[in-house]
Amino acid sequence: MIPYYKYHGAGNDFVIVDNRGKTFDRNDVDLIQTLCHRRFGVGADGILLLEDHPDYDFEMVYINSDGSIGSMCGNGGRCIVHFAHNILGIIPDVNNIRFLAVDGEHEAKILENGVKLKMQDVNEIGKRNGLTFLKSGTTPHNIQFVVNIESFPVVDEARKIKAKDDDPKGVNVNYVENKNGIFYVRTYERGVEDETLACGTGATCVAIAAHDEGLLGDLPAQAGNNFCKIKMPGGDMRIDFERTGDKSYKNIWLTGPAIYVFKGEWNEGERYIPRFF
């Protein structure tokens, strides 16, 4: 039996496993796909493994629902911080949390109503697939500003972009509408190969791109930062940041919910997903 915990960060949902004993095989694609399947498994956008690390509070391993090793996941990062503190009790200081992810070190703070997660600096904003392009850590994002975002065909349009992208893994695509200074965002995520209810790295990239294009204006500084409010189908997020150069940003903090849903046990031997040809 595999104990697991179901979490979501603004509707971006995960199965979290305490893997400090190295009992979960991250290369078992069939198991991962079954766990994440919304009909034949628990149902999730991905798997989060919490593992020991000698220099950090823990290490986070993110695996996409298709079984591929994922890039950095901001919503997952917030959820696993909450898990480490509230479930495992391994966080000594809620204001000074350090963990390792695929894109390097992250800091975090646990708040009364969520988790504040420090993202990697952004040092370049460019073009790819004819759209604004930037990365949050190692996670690539295209951004397109649209109107009538509620009815925009996100999946169909994003798959056209993915089909022509040079990276065989594809690119995440964010569609954005500015409504009175609040940015409404819908995201297609690679590895999930569908729209998700929220994307933390996507929200981060949208905020930086919006500021770079002058859409935030000269906002009053709060704690030395500019900020951007993001609304996604699954919930709200806030991104604080400092601009350090023409296309560079630092001290980027993503704040949003981290919700513990339930605990369960998975019978490792029971796997069944019908394959149709």
Side-chain angles (χ1 to χ4, degrees):
M1 305 296 288
I2 301 173
Y4 69 86
Y5 297 78
K6 181 70 180 285
Y7 264 80
H8 80 83
N12 194 189
D13 61 339
F14 310 96
V15 168
I16 304 184
V17 176
D18 176 4
N19 201 37
R20 290 176 294 173
K22 299 290 186 179
T23 55
F24 189 97
D25 183 3
R26 68 175 71 177
N27 299 311
D28 192 336
V29 172
D30 183 68
L31 173 59
I32 292 160
Q33 290 181 351
T34 303
L35 276 167
C36 291
H37 200 287
R38 298 195 181 277
R39 299 291 185 182
F40 300 101
V42 178
D45 291 325
I47 305 285
L48 294 169
L49 304 180
L50 185 145
E51 300 184 352
D52 279 326
H53 193 284
D55 300 320
Y56 296 91
D57 291 314
F58 61 87
E59 180 173 359
M60 177 182 100
V61 178
Y62 176 56
I63 308 171
N64 294 312
S65 60
D66 66 1
S68 62
I69 299 297
S71 46
M72 177 56 188
C73 177
N75 291 324
R78 295 198 317 277
C79 287
I80 204 167
V81 164
H82 186 283
F83 172 69
H85 176 260
N86 289 60
I87 305 300
L88 300 184
I90 62 172
I91 301 298
D93 184 353
V94 297
N95 293 309
N96 185 27
I97 302 165
R98 295 170 61 249
F99 69 93
L100 188 67
V102 67
D103 62 341
E105 177 183 320
H106 287 266
E107 299 174 33
K109 301 177 182 181
I110 297 176
L111 311 177
E112 288 186 6
N113 58 349
V115 175
K116 188 172 184 178
L117 175 67
K118 190 174 186 181
M119 309 299 283
Q120 302 297 349
D121 295 349
V122 171
N123 296 308
E124 184 178 0
I125 303 172
K127 292 289 185 180
R128 181 161 145 185
N129 303 313
L131 301 173
T132 299
F133 174 80
L134 63 158
K135 290 183 178 182
S136 177
T138 58
T139 310
H141 285 273
N142 269 142
I143 295 167
Q144 181 177 348
F145 288 87
V146 302
V147 295
N148 299 323
I149 191 168
E150 292 84 359
S151 60
F152 190 84
V154 166
V155 174
D156 290 343
E157 292 302 311
R159 286 178 177 170
K160 293 176 186 177
I161 293 171
K162 184 176 185 294
K164 67 181 181 181
D165 191 73
D166 291 336
D167 188 338
K169 294 182 179 179
V171 61
N172 300 294
V173 188
N174 304 272
Y175 297 96
V176 189
E177 186 171 8
N178 182 3
K179 298 183 180 182
N180 299 317
I182 297 176
F183 293 82
Y184 289 70
V185 183
R186 294 173 63 191
T187 301
Y188 179 95
E189 288 198 53
R190 66 177 191 173
V192 179
E193 306 310 331
D194 204 346
E195 182 179 2
T196 56
L197 294 181
C199 176
T201 56
T204 300
C205 289
V206 166
I208 299 301
H211 186 271
D212 180 67
E213 295 187 19
L215 299 178
L216 296 182
D218 293 325
L219 294 173
Q222 293 193 4
N225 292 344
N226 286 303
F227 68 94
C228 179
K229 293 182 179 180
I230 301 286
K231 282 188 174 291
M232 290 184 158
D236 300 346
M237 283 176 263
R238 172 180 167 133
I239 294 85
D240 294 83
F241 55 87
E242 292 182 32
R243 188 170 193 162
T244 57
D246 183 37
K247 300 288 182 181
S248 58
Y249 294 79
K250 70 175 184 178
N251 290 330
I252 304 169
W253 290 85
L254 168 68
T255 302
I259 307 299
Y260 170 39
V261 183
F262 63 83
K263 176 185 178 180
E265 288 186 329
W266 178 263
N267 184 354
E268 197 276 337
E270 294 295 329
R271 309 184 195 185
Y272 176 71
I273 299 179
R275 308 293 182 179
F276 297 98
F277 298 94

